[in-house]
């Protein structure tokens, strides 16, 4: 069973017979460090499961490079609005490292309901989970201090701190690189005492 099949089975509870058919819709693909999954103004035509690597979701606003999110192994990646509504992407999605992906085209994604009769219900659960992740992120910006946001990210996605440029993490956390450095230094001193 591939990582993708394991995730789909554990999350959706799809029976093994349907799981194999669903997994066949996905194709293995790779992105080299620096290559784009999608770019602003292009329509995103695929959804991918990240087998390995990190992809950064970002845009430029008022001359600033804003990192919206960094997706990692075991997560899905797409520009959802672009894929679902067939609109131009609002985000650049770029490989920060070499990445291995399982990708499904929009065309094949639309066929899932024919393979799995209960897909409408399962897709609602999947989208609800995506919405809850976004809701939690907004809540953290409204209710947590910069230090608390840093600690939460460090606890949940620790690997990013060794494999991602810190200025991207600072942007994703809504702080300057200097603030992130100050928080990291304070945390380091706290651990030593």
């Amino acid at each position: 069973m591939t990582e993708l099949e394991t995730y789909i089975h554990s999350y959706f509870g799809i029976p093994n017979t349907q799981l194999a058919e669903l997994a066949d819709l996905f194709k293995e693909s790779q992105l080299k460090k620096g290559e784009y999954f999608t770019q602003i103004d292009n329509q995103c035509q695929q959804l991918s499961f990240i087998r390995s690597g990190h992809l950064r979701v970002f845009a430029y606003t008022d001359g600033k490079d804003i990192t919206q999110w960094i997706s990692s192994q075991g997560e899905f990646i797409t520009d959802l609005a672009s894929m679902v509504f067939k609109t131009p992407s609002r985000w650049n999605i770029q490989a920060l490292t070499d990445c291995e992906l399982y990708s499904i085209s929009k065309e094949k994604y639309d066929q899932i309901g024919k393979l799995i009769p209960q897909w409408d219900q399962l897709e609602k659960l999947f989208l609800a989970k995506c919405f809850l992740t976004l809701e939690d992120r907004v809540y953290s910006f409204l209710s947590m201090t910069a230090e608390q946001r840093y600690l939460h990210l460090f606890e949940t996605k620790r690997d990013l701190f060794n494999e991602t440029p810190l200025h991207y993490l600072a942007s994703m956390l809504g702080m300057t690189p200097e603030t992130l450095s100050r928080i990291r230094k304070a945390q380091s001193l706290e651990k030593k005492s």
Side-chain angles (χ1 to χ4, degrees), residues 146 166-167 170-171 175-186:
L166 292 179
H167 63 281
S171 176
M175 61 182 75
T176 65
E178 294 78 18
T179 300
L180 179 60
S181 292
R182 189 174 66 251
I183 291 170
R184 289 187 61 170
K185 185 176 180 179

Side-chain angles (χ1 to χ4, degrees), residues 96-114:
L96 291 177
T97 61
D98 289 346
C99 296
E100 295 179 348
L101 310 169
Y102 293 105
S103 299
I104 186 170
S105 68
K106 168 68 170 145
E107 181 183 340
K108 293 210 184 265
Y109 181 86
D110 290 340
Q111 296 173 14
I112 295 174
K114 294 174 187 166

